[in-house]
Every structure is written in structure tokens, then in C-alpha cells.
Amino acid sequence: MEYTMKRLYLAIVAGIFAAPAGSQTVNAVQLDSIIRKAVVEKHIVGLSVGVMQNGKVVLAKGYGVRDLASRDPVTPETMFGIGSVTKQFTCTALLMLAEQKRLSLTDPVSIWFPTLTRAKEITLIDLGGHLSGYRDYYPLDFVDQEMQKPATADQIITEYATRPLDFAPRSRYSYSNTGFLILGRVIEKVSGEPFGAFIGKRIFTPLKLTRTVYEPVAPTIVGNMARGYTSFGLADPIPADPEARGWAGSAGAIWSTPTDLLMWDTSLLDHTLISPASFAVLSTAQRLTDGRSSGYGCGEGVNDRGQAVVLSHGGAVSGFVAQNTVIPATRSAVVLLSNTDFSPIAALNQELVAKVMPRGVDVPVVAGLSALDAAKKFLTELEKGQVDRATLGEDFNLFLTPAKLAAGRKALNAMGPISKIRIANTVERGGMEVAIVQFDVGGTSSQGLMYRTPDGKVQEFLFSRS
């Protein structure tokens, strides 16, 4: 096959199979080793991780410290701010009221907020899917002057949702915390209860989420709660100043633990609190007016292009980052919570999720190293201009001449070090495992295909700029 066809195949595979791939079983010791390494290498202050596979929790563990001053360790009971993972709870509360016929997802915002911009054209589900066009009040990654002063939800809504829209409703997807503050107030007006009381009574208590709270009054000193940290310019972490009262609200004010969030994930999969139809609203990407997928349901990011649907949502409030990822097909989930708002948990999350993803039924089992370790080994050797030829197939050995090795080494060294190696997916072709490998060479993003036969030998590893 001509190389141009290989490049075409690469583009097709990368475009269709974007979700990470993994093995069929999870080794808790291996997971623990991966996490410990990341905590040390990434200088993470505190981290709490929960991993579930086939409906069973296989890891729930804390790493690092919850408070740098006291050096108290993170435990599975340590509570962290989960930021926008809160939005799943807000949408679920909305759907509960919809099931009771107390509101409809297609109701216009004007029923409760008639003075907001184009409120008759924007529906509740538009708010839940970030399709409203209302300006986000929290687009920056630090607490600005405005958020240092307490404010009510109505004050924030009036300030940001009476401006001209950023775009026509449903024509674009643009993340907006403003829409979720509106949803929180609608829930309060319909239920007649404060938002925190409603989700406490209707969600936290029935599910026995005993380490989950909404808007704790003094999170740095109450119980086993983590203190949030921040940093600038790679300096040492310092305590982060939280948003003033009212700014996180129904968009991001819940604190929790991975264990509680795994129970929450399980309840969604089991339809404990809401019906299968309502769960479908959460987990099905909405469509824009031009037919494109928004990639977002209601409080859930949706990736439905790989070998399994992946539901995922991140969260970030001052001093904290969070990630909750669920694979419904295998009743698996990964939760990461950290008390540093610069904590680079995305790569770690991807690596852990790969371990609980269902393996493509046609992908052969390969002996020896994992796809990620094999890719790292080959690329590291390539940077040095010497490869372990015993690990290569006969034809690839012949193809990879000393002249090509030398040219490759020279080009790579000129561009910069190889970093951020990751496996986007694995598929089958010609009886081989084909790993889609993504990595950076200096500041250049690259992508390649690594073919391996069941005996573990690399039959091809070609890559180019992505």
C-alpha cells in the first residue's frame, strides 16, 4: 500500500477511534504504581483516586497531603472541591422535577426569568447543554476581583444573562456556568427549597453519600477536608483564595470523595434516582442547529466515537481540580480529585481510563510490553539512533536502515525531546494490534501507527506531524 494511503488510513483511524483502549482486567498494584509515579513526577500536593471496573471498586486511595502546613495525609475520606462535576447533580435534580411533571426540559427560561436576554427562545435543556449563548461568568482560571466579593445567584444572573447573547441559541456549544446558576434557581423556585437542601434530601441522603456536601461554610478547617493550593510560574504552591460565597453555587460548589462519586456513578448507571429516559438525556450529546454534535448531554461530556461510549466531566474551582469518567458499557469509572488547581491530572486520567476501557473484540492479545511501554521504548531508542532489533519484525528490520535511523535521530534531536507519549486507541488490521500513538516532539504534535504481531514484535512504527 502506498504511503499516502497509510496516511489516509491513519487519519481515518484517529478520527473514528478517539477513545483510549485498555486491557480487560485491572491490576490494583499496577494502578497504584502508576499513580505514585505521577504524584512524584508532577509534584502533586494531594490526590485522591477511585477506580471501578465491572461495578466493583478496585482502588480507592489517597496520595500526598491534604494540608501542607499540618502534613496531614490524604485518605479515601478526604473531601475535595469537585467544581463542575457538580453539574451532573444539577441536571439530575432538574430531571427529577421533570419526571414529576413540575417542569419540562423544553420550557423557556422566560417562565422564571422573563427579563433575561431572549429568554423566550432559550430552554432549560439549552442551559444544561451549554447551548444558550449566555456569557460565562467564570471563563478565567483564577479568582478575579468580581469573584472576591460575595454575590447572590440572582445578582450574577442579572449581570451576565441580560447582555447580548454570544451566539444564537443552539447554533454553537460554549461552556457557560451562567446557565447552571439559572438552572439552580429554577430548581429552587419549582421545588420551594434551597438548592443545597434539595440535592441533600433527594440525592445525597438516599444514596448515602456521607462524604458529600454542598457549599461547606469553612472547607479548610472542617473535618477531613483538603486545603486548596495554587501556583504561578512553577513556583512552590501557596494556599488558594476560594471564590466568595455564591459564585460556585449550582455550577460547582459540591465537595466529595472518589468513593462517594463512584457510588453516584453507579446510581446513574442503575437508574436509582432517575429513569433510563432521563439518564439518556444526561448521556446523549445534543445537536446544534446545523446538525453537528455538541459532544455534551446535560452535565456530561459525551465521547461516542470509540469502542465504547465514554461520559466524562472535569471540574475546577480555586485550589482544586477534578475528573469523573464513566464507561457505561463495562460499568467502569475513574475519579481523580486534587487539591492543587495546577495539578496535571489529565494525562493520568487518560492512562487510568485506558485500563478499564473494553478492548476491541478483534484486537489480538500481544505478548510482552503494553502498547504504551512498547511505544515509549521504541521512541526513546530512536532518539538515540539505536533500536533493539530483536524486538522488530523481519521486514521492519530491513526497512529501518542505518541511514534512516541516523536521519530520524538527527531530525528528532533538532526538533526537541519526545514527550507526552500516549495511546489514543488500539484496533486490528491484518491480524495485528495497531496502536494509534500520539506524542510531542519539542513543540510539534505527532501521531503514528505501531503495528505488533501477537508475539510482541513491532512490524511497523511510522509517524508524522499531526
Side-chain angles (χ1 to χ4, degrees), residues 3 6-8 10-11 14 379 407-408 410-416 422 436-449 461-466:
Y3 187 61
K6 285 185 178 289
R7 291 171 60 189
L8 176 62
L10 172 61
L379 291 170
K410 181 179 179 181
L412 292 173
N413 291 341
M415 296 175 67
R422 53 211 183 271
I436 294 88
V437 186
Q438 298 173 340
F439 54 96
D440 292 347
V441 184
T444 301
S445 297
S446 302
Q447 185 168 265
L449 296 177
F461 198 143
L462 302 178
F463 56 89
S464 61
R465 292 175 175 83
S466 61

Side-chain angles (χ1 to χ4, degrees), residues 118 126 130-133 165-174 287-292 294:
R118 297 173 68 173
D126 292 336
H130 302 294
L131 306 181
S132 68
L165 298 184
D166 286 348
F167 52 87
R170 295 171 293 282
S171 67
R172 278 177 46 198
Y173 166 91
S174 184
R287 292 285 170 182
L288 306 182
T289 50
D290 63 5
R292 288 178 296 148
S294 70

Side-chain angles (χ1 to χ4, degrees), residues 322-361:
Q323 190 70 44
N324 184 26
T325 305
V326 181
I327 303 97
T330 60
R331 296 177 59 78
S332 301
V334 174
V335 178
L336 292 93
L337 308 178
S338 182
N339 61 337
T340 42
D341 58 18
F342 57 89
S343 188
I345 63 172
L348 176 59
N349 181 67
Q350 183 179 34
E351 189 169 1
L352 297 180
V353 169
K355 302 298 182 183
V356 296
M357 282 292 291
R359 189 179 181 89
V361 295

